[in-house]
Amino acid sequence: MSDESKSGIVDVIGEFDYSTQHDSYNEKYKKWRRNKDNHCAFNYAANKNEKVYVDSKGFVAHSVEEAEKETLPHIFYIIGISALIWVFTEDVIGKLGISLFTLLGFDIHTNFFNSSIYGGSMEIVAALISVSVLKVAVPVLYAHIKFKLPSKVEFMRHMNNSLALVGAIAMTLIVCTAASLPTAYSSESKEIYDYFRSIDADLYVWDQNEFLMYTIFDVVIMSIISEMFFHGAMFAALRQFGDPFAIVVTSLTAGLLTQDFRAMPVTILVSLVAGYGMVSSGSLFTAISVSIVYKMYDLALIILETDSTDKMPLTRNLFMMTALAVGIIGFIVFWIGFVRRKKGGIARYSSEYSRWKRFGFAIKTFPYSAVVLICLAYACVRLTQ
């Protein structure tokens, strides 16, 4: 707590830890938060010993807690709308669009009661790419418009410490290997590690060009725009209440939007690493790199799993052990050079509310609460398919 807080003066913006980010970022962030017309800004500055007279209530002492309770629902409302756009585009608009093209004579078909897409290979790839871009790009644009964040704040771009990037990639390799171990020797590993299982499409008609096109799109393009959504405007608005809170909320949201209980755990863990890596390094590039490494790891596993020819010099188990070893070495280097020397860190905020109570504000805020229920319900339906 600062000297100002001890004397009764509270300024949540002034007391925020800005040492973790670049000066140009901090300048823009402070300006955005001090905007009196910004309903999403957690902006409270007052003398705790002073009271304000309110008609019919008498003298009332406004508090930091009241300001926090008032700001969080505004933020979660925008996050909820953004997430609802994602879900509605993926589950409704995408299927309606495919049905329309079916009526127009294109060789592509879908089922409203499951996530299946089947038909011509190029038609499937075109549909998957179109729906994937729309479901993420529109929420990114909506959040950008509603939060009205400066571009330097919305997308962190100054790499303060490259060692944090190394640490984030190392932790990603460890997480991916740990998540893969339970099914490494299972007879069902091919199905579980199927890189394309989440799209539920008829892949047997695809040739090498379609696989290459979709893989490059999913690994690179989707990693970029997805991280712009989860660790862009959404993250910047939430980090007013501390980086740990923002990291956890964005990670849980990322997990929910998979609408798949099998994918949720590793998605949440990878997103936690991406969020921590971003604030530690100061750049969104770190979060994007983590996402790319995760998807490349998953792709490598399915290639090694399905290629049984003698020409493949690397086995699945050798790949996993190598990735784990590289991850551990990278993490040790990161720990010694970054964490122990305290070269950077995350900004914390001590709230009078418990973490669970703040998460409760999110769950109670519509439509974020609706998104949680829809995603969990759809995930339950997927388990039965």
Side-chain angles (χ1 to χ4, degrees):
M1 183 177 287
S2 66
D3 293 335
E4 288 183 326
S5 296
K6 291 176 182 178
S7 64
I9 304 297
V10 178
D11 180 5
V12 295
I13 297 177
E15 293 173 11
F16 189 81
D17 182 10
Y18 296 97
S19 64
T20 62
Q21 300 304 322
H22 192 260
D23 289 341
S24 61
Y25 173 94
N26 294 332
E27 219 175 282
K28 297 285 186 182
Y29 196 37
K30 287 180 185 178
K31 187 176 180 180
W32 178 79
R33 291 187 66 180
R34 291 195 187 281
N35 184 356
K36 299 294 184 181
D37 297 324
N38 184 0
H39 296 296
C40 296
F42 180 38
N43 180 4
Y44 179 86
N47 188 330
K48 291 195 295 184
N49 301 320
E50 291 181 351
K51 295 183 179 181
V52 179
Y53 185 83
V54 179
D55 290 338
S56 76
K57 290 186 179 181
F59 286 97
V60 178
H62 291 287
S63 65
V64 180
E65 295 78 30
E66 289 175 3
E68 185 175 352
K69 190 176 180 179
E70 182 181 335
T71 306
L72 277 169
H74 288 296
I75 294 172
F76 277 108
Y77 174 78
I78 295 173
I79 294 174
I81 292 291
S82 301
L84 192 60
I85 292 171
W86 176 305
V87 172
F88 189 73
T89 302
E90 184 175 29
D91 298 341
V92 179
I93 294 178
K95 294 183 182 299
L96 287 174
I98 292 172
S99 299
L100 176 60
F101 279 101
T102 302
L103 292 174
L104 293 174
F106 288 87
D107 185 16
I108 186 166
H109 311 274
T110 188
N111 190 325
F112 276 88
F113 299 101
N114 58 50
S115 56
S116 299
I117 301 176
Y118 49 97
S121 56
M122 284 305 297
E123 287 86 347
I124 292 175
V125 173
L128 289 172
I129 291 176
S130 299
V131 174
S132 297
V133 169
L134 281 175
K135 77 176 184 182
V136 186
V138 176
V140 167
L141 183 60
Y142 175 81
H144 171 77
I145 293 171
K146 300 302 290 186
F147 283 124
K148 299 177 182 178
L149 282 152
S151 61
K152 282 187 178 181
V153 175
E154 185 173 0
F155 306 118
M156 294 184 185
R157 61 188 69 172
H158 194 280
M159 184 69 72
N160 298 323
N161 197 314
S162 57
L163 197 57
L165 171 62
V166 174
I169 292 175
M171 286 186 280
T172 304
L173 292 174
I174 294 171
V175 167
C176 290
T177 305
S180 305
L181 285 175
T183 51
Y185 302 98
S186 169
S187 61
E188 298 180 351
S189 58
K190 283 187 179 182
E191 178 185 350
I192 294 172
Y193 282 129
D194 187 352
Y195 181 73
F196 298 96
R197 77 170 187 272
S198 61
I199 62 179
D200 198 12
D202 184 5
L203 304 175
Y204 296 102
V205 299
W206 291 27
D207 61 25
Q208 193 170 10
N209 290 333
E210 278 81 43
F211 272 110
L212 185 62
M213 185 187 304
Y214 185 78
T215 299
I216 292 174
F217 164 77
D218 188 57
V219 171
V220 181
I221 307 301
M222 280 303 293
S223 293
I224 294 172
I225 58 177
S226 293
E227 291 307 319
M228 287 173 68
F229 176 61
F230 294 115
H231 294 110
M234 183 197 305
F235 188 92
L238 288 169
R239 79 183 300 255
Q240 298 175 98
F241 308 96
D243 288 339
F245 180 69
I247 291 169
V248 171
V249 171
T250 51
S251 299
L252 291 176
T253 303
L256 281 169
L257 289 177
T258 64
Q259 303 179 71
D260 188 341
F261 285 128
R262 294 167 296 183
M264 282 183 191
V266 67
T267 301
I268 291 171
L269 287 173
V270 170
S271 187
L272 286 170
V273 172
Y276 174 73
M278 182 182 73
V279 295
S280 298
S281 66
S283 175
L284 180 64
F285 177 76
T286 301
I288 293 171
S289 299
V290 166
S291 182
I292 290 174
V293 169
Y294 161 57
K295 291 187 176 183
M296 288 181 67
Y297 186 102
D298 206 16
L299 177 61
L301 280 181
I302 186 58
I303 292 173
L304 293 170
E305 179 74 14
T306 55
D307 194 327
S308 57
T309 63
D310 296 332
K311 294 180 180 179
M312 180 60 71
L314 187 66
T315 64
R316 177 193 60 196
N317 294 343
L318 178 59
F319 169 78
M320 290 171 64
M321 292 303 102
T322 302
L324 180 61
V326 171
I328 291 173
I329 293 171
F331 181 76
I332 292 172
V333 172
F334 167 70
W335 180 267
I336 294 173
F338 186 85
V339 179
R340 288 191 62 185
R341 294 183 182 180
K342 297 180 180 179
K343 286 190 173 183
I346 58 178
R348 301 181 184 275
Y349 169 71
S350 299
S351 173
E352 294 298 323
Y353 292 116
S354 67
R355 286 192 181 93
W356 291 111
K357 197 158 188 177
R358 285 196 284 172
F359 290 138
F361 293 149
I363 300 300
K364 292 177 184 177
T365 303
F366 184 85
Y368 191 85
S369 55
V371 171
V372 173
L373 293 175
I374 292 170
C375 290
L376 292 178
Y378 198 82
C380 290
V381 171
R382 280 191 170 185
L383 286 177
T384 64
Q385 295 177 355

